[in-house]
Amino acid sequence: MTARILIIEDEEPLTLLLRYNLEAEGYAVDSAVRGDEADLKLKENAPDLALIDWMLPGLSGIELIRRLRARPETQALPIIMLTARGEETERVRGLATGADDYIVKPFSVPELLARIRALLRRTKPERVAGVLEAGDIELDREKKRVARAGRDVSLGPTEFRLLEFLMENPGRVFSREQLLDRVWGRDVYIDERTVDVHVGRLRKALNRGRAVDPIRTVRGAGYALNDRFVKSP
Ligand code: CA
């Protein structure tokens, strides 16, 4: 299940950055530039979570939230407010108006992603499962444990994150560069062959004497979760 996120923000570079990162995390993303445009969009089809900028053309973020909270369909919509204003009193006002959380610009993308995950876990637990399953593999995000066919598999932190990422995005093929971005982080300079080394370790840990390899190497493209481990919808 993919959670749908609506970004309501008039700074285009920020929207692009957020869209890129959210899509890479497996979310379905839609965006709106104006507050009044967003209001209409939300009347037609409510997402699972909305990121709403404070200062918007057409209708302010605060007024938009006020309207959303007044309508039964969007009364409980999880909302994170984005804003350049950092004053404590404004912060309180933002939350009091009905946002569930609040983040001050400039913020770090990983921090926003963590807040989105936390809010979805609280409000839509089925969208952000604590335990991921693929075939006979079970990955527990909270306990940081992986089991295959009921037996614990011991993984290093990078292998764990790599497997978690592939399981979060079943069926999608990722290049080594994309995996470096998403699993290692964008600021790190690491040779792309490092990815192969960690995929090798992950396979070795998962595949003890087993025939079916859960990780598929796509020649010339990268890696993906083996289709036999992808649940059919
Ligand atoms: Ca703005």
Side-chain angles (χ1 to χ4, degrees):
M1 279 253 239
T2 309
R4 291 178 308 121
I5 298 183
L6 177 63
I7 306 169
I8 307 159
E9 166 64 70
D10 58 330
E11 281 169 55
E12 202 185 19
L14 182 57
T15 303
L16 284 174
L17 175 76
L18 292 177
R19 180 185 281 275
Y20 173 86
N21 282 280
L22 290 169
E23 285 178 349
E25 289 271 305
Y27 297 111
V29 180
D30 194 6
S31 62
V33 171
R34 298 177 54 91
D36 43 1
E37 175 202 350
D39 194 26
L40 286 174
K41 244 183 192 169
L42 284 158
K43 263 180 200 163
E44 287 163 11
N45 197 352
D48 294 303
L49 184 145
L51 301 175
I52 303 182
D53 185 28
W54 181 301
M55 301 293 279
L56 289 168
L59 186 68
S60 78
I62 291 283
E63 181 53 29
L64 176 61
I65 294 173
R66 211 170 269 140
R67 291 190 190 184
L68 293 173
R69 290 299 183 237
R71 288 203 292 268
E73 315 82 64
T74 47
Q75 208 165 37
L77 174 72
I79 295 173
I80 297 178
M81 185 125 200
L82 313 175
T83 181
R85 306 182 186 191
E87 282 182 36
E88 210 53 41
T89 50
E90 305 266 2
R91 225 177 255 244
V92 171
R93 200 175 125 206
L95 288 169
T97 315
D100 298 280
D101 200 359
Y102 190 99
I103 195 160
V104 179
K105 294 177 190 174
F107 49 81
S108 86
V109 172
E111 156 136 38
L112 178 63
L113 293 175
R115 298 238 197 143
I116 289 173
R117 228 175 285 133
L119 182 55
L120 283 173
R121 201 172 285 148
R122 215 160 71 218
T123 52
K124 313 227 166 179
E126 75 286 358
R127 296 286 175 140
V128 202
V131 177
L132 298 176
E133 280 175 49
D136 59 357
I137 301 173
E138 220 180 73
L139 180 146
D140 190 323
R141 287 168 144 152
E142 318 279 312
K143 294 179 186 150
K144 300 277 173 217
R145 276 171 61 182
V146 173
R148 182 158 192 195
R151 290 175 65 173
D152 279 347
V153 175
S154 160
L155 295 179
T158 304
E159 286 74 36
F160 181 90
R161 179 64 199 124
L162 186 58
L163 179 63
E164 183 184 23
F165 181 71
L166 291 173
M167 289 174 78
E168 282 168 353
N169 299 280
R172 282 178 61 185
V173 179
F174 293 96
S175 68
R176 289 166 178 81
E177 193 191 347
Q178 286 172 322
L179 288 172
L180 277 179
D181 267 8
R182 303 307 315 157
V183 177
W184 278 259
R186 307 198 82 186
D187 305 328
V188 202
Y189 180 77
I190 306 174
D191 193 279
E192 290 189 5
R193 273 168 299 183
T194 304
V195 176
D196 301 333
V197 171
H198 286 275
V199 168
R201 283 187 200 156
L202 178 58
R203 278 184 166 139
K204 201 173 161 206
L206 287 172
N207 298 349
R208 285 226 181 108
R210 285 170 199 280
V212 184
D213 187 345
I215 299 162
R216 185 162 64 97
T217 304
V218 185
R219 234 171 265 283
Y223 296 103
L225 200 64
N226 186 326
D227 287 339
R228 289 172 65 176
F229 288 75
V230 178
K231 261 188 251 166
S232 37

